Amino acid sequence: MARSPANFVLLLMAAATWSFFLAAHAGRLQPSCIGRERDALLAFNQGISDDPYDYLKSWRQERQDCCQWAGVTCDNATGHVVKLDLGGTYLVGKISPSLLSLEHLEYLNLNWTRLCGPDGRVPEFLGSLKNLRHLDLSGMSFSALLPPKLSNLSKLEYLDLSNIHFNKRIVLTDISCANQSLAHLNLTTLHFLDLSYNFFGHPIASGWFWSIKYLDLTDIPPGLGNYTSLRYLSLSSNHLTRPIQLETVSRTTLEVLDLSDNNITGVIPPWLGNCTSLRHLSLSKNHLTGHVPSKISLLGNLTQLDLSNNNLDGVITEEHLVSLKNLEHLGLSHNSLLGHLPSEFGATGLVELTLSYNYFSGHIPESICMLWDLLVLDLSNNLLMGGLPRCSRKPNLAFLLLSHNKFSGKFPSSLKNYSSLAFIDL
Ligand SMILES: *[C@@H]1O[C@H](CO)[C@@H](O)[C@H](O)[C@H]1NC(C)=O
Ligand SMILES: *[C@@H]1O[C@H](CO)[C@@H](O)[C@H](O)[C@H]1NC(C)=O
Ligand SMILES: *[C@@H]1O[C@H](CO)[C@@H](O)[C@H](O)[C@H]1NC(C)=O
Ligand SMILES: *[C@@H]1O[C@H](CO)[C@@H](O)[C@H](O)[C@H]1NC(C)=O
Ligand SMILES: *[C@@H]1O[C@H](CO)[C@@H](O)[C@H](O)[C@H]1NC(C)=O
Ligand SMILES: *[C@@H]1O[C@H](CO)[C@@H](O)[C@H](O)[C@H]1NC(C)=O
Ligand SMILES: *[C@@H]1O[C@H](CO)[C@@H](O)[C@H](O)[C@H]1NC(C)=O
Ligand SMILES: *[C@@H]1O[C@H](CO)[C@@H](O)[C@H](O)[C@H]1NC(C)=O
Ligand SMILES: *[C@@H]1O[C@H](CO)[C@@H](O)[C@H](O)[C@H]1NC(C)=O
Ligand SMILES: *[C@@H]1O[C@H](CO)[C@@H](O)[C@H](O)[C@H]1NC(C)=O
């Protein structure tokens, strides 16, 4: 085909037009930021006194499209800033009230930064960001508890206040007026609340009437019965000492209950058996006494059960375990459990079985051979005797701990078949 210079020029023009069209089109797809919101972000940046990882280096006036700045997300259609994620950036400074110009902000994450409001407090104006759904202030340092104004965040679904380092002295005085702050919040849409590792104290718990699905705090609030949508409850690593009293907590919705690493006394309440949606139950590192209630067998959804490091006694029977078909991790170590090991495990998918530091006696049951997925078996520091059962199929065990028992005789020949062992302690 003949290629005249005219044709060639036409072709070039077409190509140029097309690429211009593409660029323009792409430009329309990109949300371009709104001037007022860019100014607000720049003002926020003014309040930053240290940015150790140079995280905000893209936050510059000359880079017009603030939707492209690190940590900033805009709505595709409107261009409004909807998300500000500065989590884990270790920024130091003041949280500028200029954020109030981000009226459409739905997500604010300042975790593990050293930002704070006036007087080192949680800035009250956060309560005016009325579209917020997600607020993460975990790992930050504040001199006082939450401003009551936060209760105006009526769309809040996720509130993470874990690991907040409150200035101790001020907390002590604030505790007395905790009823004015946390207690009076009415965040009916909240489904995640994490207040773990705070060591507040009791008064904070009184008078709560939130409708929440996830709760993580320091004491078990008396009003929990009203939290009909509670799904996640973690009170781990606080200073709880009183027996577990969650009589009326939404037993059918609770999926995760973590009360580990406290000093809780008393027994494991049988009503836990009514929490049939539980997937994770951890009561480890407490001072629980008495038997493991057989009602635990009703928790057919459990994948993790950790009762280790308590003062539990009595026996663990087939009755406890046979219905726990989904169990993957079972931890009962460091208790005073005794008797024979259960001859049957309901869950063939057990991955980790730690029964060490108890008074289990008798032989290791053959049913161990049925646990194909078992990777960790810790039976050390018991009164077990005999040896490892002969399994007709090769177990996949990687960690086997059998030391400090009453095993005797020759090095068990059955061990030959445990060919995937990475660690063994006899
Ligand atoms: C924005 O656009 C991106 C890419 O086209 C898309 O993945 C994302 O879901 C959109 N976000 C919203 C909030 O519409
Ligand atoms: C803090 O936020 C960052 C960014 O969203 C996230 O990746 C990180 O997991 C968060 N850190 C913690 C401890 O929650
Ligand atoms: C919530 O907002 C309303 C109106 O905007 C205001 O009157 C009220 O004082 C606010 N509540 C708190 C606790 O600040
Ligand atoms: C908070 O509790 C203290 C003492 O428990 C009481 O004096 C005060 O009136 C309470 N404040 C509110 C707002 O309920
Ligand atoms: C909590 O807020 C909801 C809706 O915002 C309201 O209907 C309800 O009366 C409030 N409850 C209390 C105890 O203030
Ligand atoms: C549950 O809420 C009702 C009103 O909403 C209140 O009267 C009652 O005291 C609450 N129960 C508990 C245990 O706090
Ligand atoms: C539990 O009590 C002991 C003293 O009996 C104390 O040393 C420890 O810090 C307490 N642990 C928690 C998590 O409160
Ligand atoms: C547990 O649920 C059963 C019915 O499923 C009920 O009869 C029983 O009272 C409940 N137990 C407790 C302690 O709530
Ligand atoms: C597991 O939980 C679901 C709800 O999440 C419930 O319907 C079901 O009965 C539970 N299964 C058992 C065995 O308890
Ligand atoms: C090892 O496994 C084979 C089958 O794979 C079985 O026949 C044999 O008895 C086993 N040996 C021991 C010592 O368990």
Side-chain angles (χ1 to χ4, degrees):
M1 196 190 280
R3 294 188 184 185
S4 71
N7 274 349
F8 185 65
V9 168
L10 268 180
L11 199 70
L12 267 185
M13 282 172 65
T17 312
W18 177 242
S19 51
F20 177 77
F21 172 78
L22 273 185
H25 198 64
R28 263 222 320 273
L29 282 181
Q30 295 289 343
S32 60
C33 102
I34 288 161
R36 203 168 92 89
E37 300 190 353
R38 179 175 50 242
D39 292 344
L41 291 170
L42 288 170
F44 175 86
N45 199 0
Q46 295 279 305
I48 305 298
S49 52
D50 190 19
D51 181 2
Y53 296 101
D54 228 3
Y55 187 77
L56 301 181
K57 66 174 180 289
S58 58
W59 290 39
R60 295 197 314 268
Q61 177 77 53
E62 60 273 25
R63 289 200 54 184
Q64 290 279 311
D65 187 0
C66 67
C67 299
Q68 304 287 323
W69 294 358
V72 178
T73 307
C74 297
D75 182 281
N76 285 350
T78 65
H80 285 296
V81 175
V82 288
K83 183 169 168 181
L84 188 54
D85 186 354
L86 304 175
T89 56
Y90 299 95
L91 294 172
V92 183
K94 288 269 185 282
I95 305 170
S96 164
S98 70
L99 284 187
L100 279 177
S101 298
L102 306 178
E103 285 169 13
H104 298 264
L105 201 64
E106 295 175 5
Y107 181 112
L108 180 59
N109 180 6
L110 302 176
N111 80 21
W112 300 94
T113 60
R114 283 196 273 146
L115 299 171
C116 59
D119 314 323
R121 291 175 171 250
V122 178
E124 192 168 23
F125 62 78
L126 290 184
S128 301
L129 290 167
K130 59 183 190 309
N131 285 308
L132 271 192
R133 295 176 193 278
H134 182 114
L135 179 59
D136 187 346
L137 304 177
S138 62
M140 298 175 73
S141 295
F142 295 110
S143 63
L145 294 174
L146 298 178
K149 199 149 186 239
L150 280 195
S151 64
N152 268 1
L153 297 175
S154 58
K155 294 184 181 169
L156 208 59
E157 293 168 1
Y158 184 109
L159 179 57
D160 192 341
L161 301 171
S162 60
N163 286 288
I164 289 191
H165 309 286
F166 289 104
N167 172 315
K168 282 238 160 49
R169 189 177 57 82
I170 298 180
V171 165
L172 285 178
T173 60
D174 253 43
I175 281 295
S176 63
C177 56
N179 54 353
Q180 296 165 8
S181 49
L182 276 172
H184 283 204
L185 298 188
N186 180 22
L187 305 173
T188 48
T189 51
L190 202 66
H191 64 84
F192 182 106
L193 174 64
D194 190 337
L195 291 172
S196 58
Y197 293 94
N198 279 304
F199 307 107
F200 289 130
H202 297 326
I204 206 167
S206 58
W208 286 37
F209 42 75
W210 300 4
S211 160
I212 49 182
K213 292 185 184 131
Y214 296 87
L215 178 67
D216 190 335
L217 78 171
T218 53
D219 198 6
I220 301 175
L224 265 186
N226 282 353
Y227 301 162
T228 49
S229 51
L230 199 69
R231 290 212 307 254
Y232 175 109
L233 175 60
S234 171
L235 305 163
S236 72
S237 303
N238 281 293
H239 291 311
L240 308 185
T241 53
R242 288 178 295 178
I244 304 171
Q245 288 172 332
L246 286 171
E247 291 87 351
T248 52
V249 79
S250 42
R251 291 186 181 149
T252 48
T253 53
L254 206 57
E255 291 172 17
V256 176
L257 178 60
D258 185 353
L259 302 177
S260 63
D261 194 17
N262 283 289
N263 279 331
I264 298 174
T265 54
V267 299
I268 300 177
W271 56 253
L272 271 181
N274 279 18
C275 303
T276 49
S277 297
L278 272 183
R279 289 182 288 106
H280 295 193
L281 175 60
S282 180
L283 305 176
S284 66
K285 297 189 189 162
N286 281 297
H287 299 314
L288 295 169
T289 52
H291 296 5
V292 177
S294 57
K295 285 268 196 300
I296 215 108
S297 65
L298 299 173
L299 306 179
N301 282 323
L302 272 189
T303 58
Q304 287 190 28
L305 176 59
D306 190 355
L307 306 177
S308 59
N309 292 277
N310 278 292
N311 304 323
L312 300 169
D313 56 30
V315 295
I316 299 291
T317 65
E318 300 76 41
E319 200 197 336
H320 285 101
L321 299 180
V322 80
S323 307
L324 305 184
K325 304 244 184 261
N326 294 305
L327 210 55
E328 291 169 9
H329 301 266
L330 176 60
L332 299 174
S333 61
H334 293 273
N335 278 293
S336 300
L337 300 167
L338 45 81
H340 288 192
L341 295 178
S343 62
E344 227 184 307
F345 298 90
T348 49
L350 265 185
V351 173
E352 188 174 351
L353 182 58
T354 54
L355 307 176
S356 59
Y357 291 92
N358 279 291
Y359 302 106
F360 288 119
S361 56
H363 290 76
I364 302 176
E366 300 231 337
S367 54
I368 290 277
C369 293
M370 302 300 290
L371 307 175
W372 305 125
D373 297 325
L374 199 62
L375 292 179
V376 179
L377 178 60
D378 185 357
L379 301 175
S380 63
N381 294 278
N382 277 293
L383 305 171
L384 296 167
M385 56 186 196
L388 275 176
R390 285 167 177 269
C391 299
S392 61
R393 210 172 102 175
K394 289 190 179 182
N396 290 317
L397 268 187
F399 294 86
L400 178 62
L401 295 94
L402 299 175
S403 71
H404 297 89
N405 274 291
K406 294 188 156 180
F407 297 127
S408 58
K410 290 189 181 170
F411 190 78
S413 59
S414 54
L415 257 184
K416 280 186 209 142
N417 270 0
Y418 289 71
S419 50
S420 45
L421 280 179
F423 180 90
I424 183 165
D425 183 359
L426 299 175

